[in-house]
Amino acid sequence: NGIRAKKPVLLEVFQNPAAIIGTLIISGLLAISIYTVITLPYQEAITLWRGDHDIWLQNPAKAQPEWTNLFRKDDLPVTMVLSTRDGTATKTVSAVSEEMTEIAVPFIFDFPYGGFPQVLAVRTEARYDEKRPLLTFTWITPDERELDLGSISLSKSDTYYFSQDDRLQRKFDGRPAQEAVFAAPEGDGTSPVKGSHTLLVKAFMFEQGADVEAEFTLYGQVHGLAGTDNRRRDLTVALMWGTPIALAFGVLAALATTISSVLIAGVSVWYGGWVDSLLQRITEVNMVLPFLPVAIMVFTLYSRSFWVILGVVVILSIFGTAIKNYRAIFLQVKQDGYIEAAQAYGASDRRIIFRYMLPRIGTYLLPQMLILIPAYVFLEATLAFLGVSDPDLPTWGKVIVDALEFGIYSGDYYWVLEPLGLLLITAFAFLLLGYAMERVFDPRLKEK
């Protein structure tokens, strides 16, 4: 009968448009969380976020998300990588003399974009004994103009950034090389020449058996689904992993706090006397304790673990205003006639608390817990903002901190808007569902 009685209530909840929207958003966040944990394991996410072993070397720094091109007339360039190792570029070997060999590598690519790239770089790995090879660069434009970009002497492993060569800066009258080679010879030079460009790299080897592998990277202005930060890290990693972390922190903290507070309030009211006085004094003392300084102290002196910080948050939140609120409700429930009837037929204290008192406020707890979740989601971001968080975990709060320090003042608004948007969407979803349930479970709210 209890199950049958609850079905109409649940149906009424999910007939509410707000509840439907909230449920759909929460379902989407849960799906992202499950997908993230399965496809991007924890240790892999940590390694990626730390940027070990130059993982992000081929990513542009502070690049906007690729989807921003949908709102532009002319797309900004994406990153391109051409290499002799993976077959995206081919090399031709020819003998110049008995002692000298020429290795030519033409990096041919189509450039249909309306903006200049961030950086142009060539990475080489040379194999020789004593005589260092000589590398020359020639840029061939779609209109068949040839621009001499100079030459360098190779070491075993080298990376040449065109924008860092002072000789090229002087040659192009102080203009960055990545703009000068793409700019049209006529006009104001603010738009790149579209079409097929070629960077011809020639390596002159002065020993028998010497060889070289080359890789050309054109760093774009847009990258990936979420863009990159100042350390070239793909923000998708932090935004994806921030979802299960935020949900886990919010749901577990709200669930543990709500259940513990209700149990303590029920025990306090039922037993009364010194038990009630002791629990109320503990609550009042805890309410005046400064929350953030205590959390920072635990973080500094004890542990930086995510689970320890979560435990501290729960413990400090249990003995709060919630106990006072639940105690007031239980004081009314205790006076009901069915409680006296239960005492009359000899029900134990435990049975009365768990079977008669707690279920009475069950419909009140679920909406309140859902409404409480956003507060803990924002608290996790706040703790990360203050540095009170696991330093290795990629979270929304840490992305916001980095964005405020390195991105927002240079106009990279996507960097801060993406995690803030996810925080607001998450809070919005739980509040929609919580308030919808509250209106259904509390008849007095329907009249308003």
Side-chain angles (χ1 to χ4, degrees):
N1 291 335
I3 296 175
R4 291 195 193 98
K6 290 177 183 176
K7 282 185 178 179
V9 175
L10 292 176
L11 288 174
E12 187 177 352
V13 169
F14 291 105
Q15 287 174 354
N16 187 311
I20 295 173
I21 295 172
T23 302
L24 289 175
I25 296 174
I26 293 170
S27 300
L29 293 171
L30 289 173
I32 293 173
S33 301
I34 295 171
Y35 175 80
T36 299
V37 173
I38 293 175
T39 60
L40 189 61
Y42 173 77
Q43 279 304 133
E44 183 179 346
I46 296 300
T47 301
L48 287 173
W49 194 241
R50 285 198 306 237
D52 295 346
H53 312 299
D54 295 328
I55 291 175
W56 306 116
L57 194 60
Q58 291 183 342
N59 284 2
K62 299 170 73 172
Q64 300 177 33
E66 286 188 28
W67 52 263
T68 57
N69 276 338
L70 297 174
F71 306 98
R72 296 188 177 91
K73 181 180 179 181
D74 290 319
D75 292 350
L76 294 178
V78 299
T79 298
M80 304 180 196
V81 180
L82 303 174
S83 175
T84 57
R85 290 190 179 277
D86 59 15
T88 51
T90 58
K91 59 183 179 180
T92 303
V93 182
S94 58
V96 179
S97 65
E98 292 184 0
E99 296 182 351
M100 186 169 66
T101 303
E102 178 189 286
I103 300 177
V105 183
F107 294 104
I108 306 170
F109 60 94
D110 188 46
F111 193 84
Y113 304 106
F116 296 103
Q118 281 191 12
V119 181
L120 301 175
V122 173
R123 294 180 181 84
T124 55
E125 290 186 7
R127 187 175 69 248
Y128 62 90
D129 292 328
E130 296 179 358
K131 298 180 180 179
R132 300 177 65 174
L134 177 68
L135 207 65
T136 66
F137 305 99
T138 304
W139 193 274
I140 305 173
T141 64
D143 53 3
E144 298 184 352
R145 289 179 293 116
E146 294 189 4
L147 305 176
D148 180 16
L149 302 184
S151 61
I152 60 171
S153 180
L154 282 184
S155 57
K156 296 285 184 180
S157 181
D158 209 346
T159 301
Y160 175 69
Y161 294 94
F162 291 89
S163 58
Q164 295 179 2
D165 193 328
D166 293 336
R167 294 173 300 176
L168 283 180
Q169 290 276 353
R170 291 193 295 269
K171 180 175 181 176
F172 294 125
D173 297 325
R175 189 171 191 181
Q178 65 269 21
E179 295 183 10
V181 296
F182 281 99
E186 301 86 12
D188 56 6
T190 58
S191 299
V193 176
K194 300 179 182 180
S196 179
H197 291 258
T198 301
L199 173 62
L200 178 60
V201 177
K202 290 184 178 180
F204 295 93
M205 321 300 289
F206 304 105
E207 295 177 347
Q208 292 292 330
D211 197 8
V212 66
E213 299 290 346
E215 178 183 271
F216 169 62
T217 304
L218 181 150
Y219 291 93
Q221 294 189 41
V222 295
H223 184 86
L225 186 62
T228 62
D229 64 7
N230 61 313
R231 295 171 57 185
R232 304 180 185 273
R233 296 177 298 186
D234 192 338
L235 293 177
T236 307
V237 174
L239 297 182
M240 288 179 63
W241 253 98
T243 306
I245 291 171
L247 290 182
F249 195 94
V251 172
L252 291 177
L255 184 63
T257 302
T258 301
I259 293 176
S260 302
S261 298
V262 168
L263 288 175
I264 292 172
V267 170
S268 175
V269 168
W270 181 250
Y271 287 102
W274 68 270
V275 174
D276 184 33
S277 298
L278 176 62
L279 292 175
Q280 294 310 305
R281 298 298 83 75
I282 293 174
T283 300
E284 290 161 3
V285 170
N286 183 73
M287 288 173 65
V288 299
L289 285 176
F291 175 84
L292 285 176
V294 174
I296 293 173
M297 181 181 67
V298 172
F299 173 80
T300 305
L301 301 178
Y302 182 63
S303 174
R304 300 184 177 186
S305 167
F306 170 82
W307 300 107
V308 171
I309 296 170
L310 175 61
V312 171
V313 169
V314 170
I315 292 172
L316 293 177
S317 302
I318 288 173
F319 291 94
T321 55
I323 284 186
K324 296 287 187 181
N325 295 334
Y326 296 138
R327 180 175 180 271
I329 298 173
F330 280 129
L331 285 173
Q332 296 177 7
V333 172
K334 187 179 180 182
Q335 306 302 320
D336 288 345
Y338 72 94
I339 298 294
E340 296 180 2
Q343 288 180 288
Y345 74 73
S348 64
D349 293 341
R350 180 178 176 183
R351 182 178 180 84
I352 291 174
I353 293 173
F354 286 94
R355 293 295 299 275
Y356 299 106
M357 292 179 65
L358 295 183
R360 186 68 187 277
I361 66 169
T363 55
Y364 174 78
L365 292 182
L366 184 56
Q368 291 303 309
M369 189 187 74
L370 290 172
I371 294 171
L372 190 60
I373 288 174
Y376 287 109
V377 172
F378 278 102
L379 177 61
E380 189 280 325
T382 303
L383 293 175
F385 183 82
L386 296 173
V388 185
S389 178
D390 189 328
D392 293 328
L393 273 179
T395 65
W396 296 341
K398 289 178 183 173
V399 174
I400 293 172
V401 172
D402 291 341
L404 292 176
E405 185 174 358
F406 301 107
I408 195 167
Y409 295 110
S410 57
D412 300 306
Y413 301 113
Y414 70 93
W415 193 350
V416 70
L417 290 177
E418 288 173 339
L420 278 178
L422 288 170
L423 279 170
L424 293 174
I425 288 172
T426 303
F428 181 68
F430 282 103
L431 290 175
L432 278 179
L433 184 57
Y435 285 130
M437 285 188 169
E438 192 175 50
R439 291 185 69 85
V440 171
F441 291 155
D442 191 343
R444 292 172 298 179
L445 295 176
K446 297 181 182 178
E447 301 172 0
K448 297 181 181 180

